[in-house]
Amino acid sequence: MIVTFQDVFIITALSIEGKPLCMSTDSEGWRQKMEALIGMSPPQPEVEDGGKKYRVPAGAPFTWIATNFNHCPEDANDDVIQTYARVYMWYVISRTIFADGSGKNAQWMWLKALTIFDNKFSWGSTALAYLYRQLDEACRRSTRDGGIGGCMLLLSVWSWERLPVGRPREATFKPWDDHDNHVRLPTSAYKWDVVLEVTSDVNLLYKQYTNEMDSLTAEKVEWQPYGVGRSFGDAHTFQLNPICL
């Protein structure tokens, strides 16, 4: 049982159709390329005490992005507006869909993918592949190398929909206002928009979750959480975004 294309579509509404996002991950000269695309790049970090060199991530800290691209000038021309829009999209997808293990940086390669706005990439399949890779690395690397990355919204909702382990209790949420635009209707993740916070000790919860996971049987799993047949995609409590279907 794994996260599938169906989950990606229903939970995130990211398209699984389109061109594969295949590009070189080589970061050589990334600063110059970033400056050519958005006009600047983050400053070179200072060398650690003792002159030791350390690996510099190919990308920009979220704090640097927020400082330099927080407000688009009111008198900006089309080129400047596109630059701010590109950086905003880079910031959002780097914090949600393609988050890295540190949670501090936006990777350069995702900005490079936004060189052309209307690229028709299959962002859904890319998000799923990236999540798989992050899960694999998180299982094998030490904790000092950072936490898990990828789309945690997708992974969390997928788990809550299917497994009783660690599932929060849903709270009442407000009706969604789509502003008369069906494209702005929520995905199935809106079902979990407001949940009751768990306040128990983290260490105790970890032991409880592992014990419950070890004793999990097929009968306790919700294998078709989105419904089947004519009821497929029927969220009952709110209208689902038609893009999800």
Side-chain angles (χ1 to χ4, degrees):
M1 183 174 61
I2 58 176
V3 185
T4 66
F5 283 141
Q6 183 188 74
D7 298 302
V8 173
F9 220 42
I10 293 290
I11 296 173
T12 70
L14 290 173
S15 176
I16 57 176
E17 299 178 342
K19 298 183 297 184
L21 182 52
C22 298
M23 61 183 181
S24 172
T25 57
D26 182 17
S27 58
E28 183 177 355
W30 66 271
R31 289 184 183 278
Q32 293 77 12
K33 295 175 183 177
M34 183 181 293
E35 291 171 4
L37 188 60
I38 64 173
M40 64 177 72
S41 65
Q44 289 276 6
E46 297 181 0
V47 179
E48 291 181 335
D49 294 338
K52 295 182 179 179
K53 294 183 178 180
Y54 60 98
R55 183 176 178 272
V56 178
F62 292 125
T63 52
W64 178 85
I65 297 175
T67 299
N68 291 279
F69 295 93
N70 193 26
H71 295 289
C72 182
E74 294 184 4
D75 58 348
N77 57 32
D78 288 344
D79 290 338
V80 174
I81 293 174
Q82 287 192 26
T83 296
Y84 273 77
R86 181 174 285 109
V87 174
Y88 175 76
M89 293 168 64
W90 178 37
Y91 181 91
V92 170
I93 66 175
S94 297
R95 299 214 70 164
T96 55
I97 306 173
F98 304 112
D100 67 2
S102 71
K104 299 178 181 179
N105 300 300
Q107 299 180 53
W108 151 247
M109 64 179 180
W110 304 121
L111 177 61
K112 182 168 62 173
L114 295 170
T115 303
I116 302 174
F117 283 121
D118 192 17
N119 47 44
K120 305 296 183 182
F121 286 141
S122 176
W123 289 103
S125 59
T126 306
L128 185 59
Y130 185 77
L131 176 61
Y132 282 167
R133 178 165 182 168
Q134 288 293 312
L135 289 171
D136 179 62
E137 292 184 355
C139 292
R140 294 186 292 111
R141 64 188 173 200
S142 62
T143 54
R144 64 185 179 186
D145 294 328
I148 188 174
C151 187
M152 291 297 99
L153 170 69
L154 172 60
L155 184 64
S156 298
V157 174
W158 170 86
S159 175
W160 296 340
E161 289 283 1
R162 286 171 167 75
L163 307 177
V165 181
R167 177 186 289 162
R169 286 190 297 169
E170 303 168 52
T172 303
F173 51 80
K174 298 180 180 179
W176 184 279
D177 184 5
D178 64 353
H179 299 279
D180 296 323
N181 185 352
H182 288 334
V183 177
R184 300 181 64 175
L185 285 169
T187 71
S188 65
Y190 189 56
K191 174 183 176 182
W192 306 94
D193 181 55
V194 180
V195 296
L196 299 181
E197 183 179 357
V198 178
T199 57
S200 301
D201 181 78
V202 175
N203 294 322
L204 294 178
L205 285 176
Y206 178 78
K207 293 180 181 179
Q208 178 183 340
Y209 290 171
T210 53
N211 290 336
E212 291 180 4
M213 190 68 73
D214 290 339
S215 61
L216 188 66
T217 61
E219 292 75 19
K220 298 179 181 179
V221 175
E222 179 61 59
W223 294 100
Q224 295 176 317
Y226 313 122
V228 293
R230 294 183 177 179
S231 66
F232 178 74
D234 184 4
H236 301 293
T237 53
F238 60 90
Q239 185 178 355
L240 192 65
N241 193 312
I243 297 178
C244 297
L245 304 176

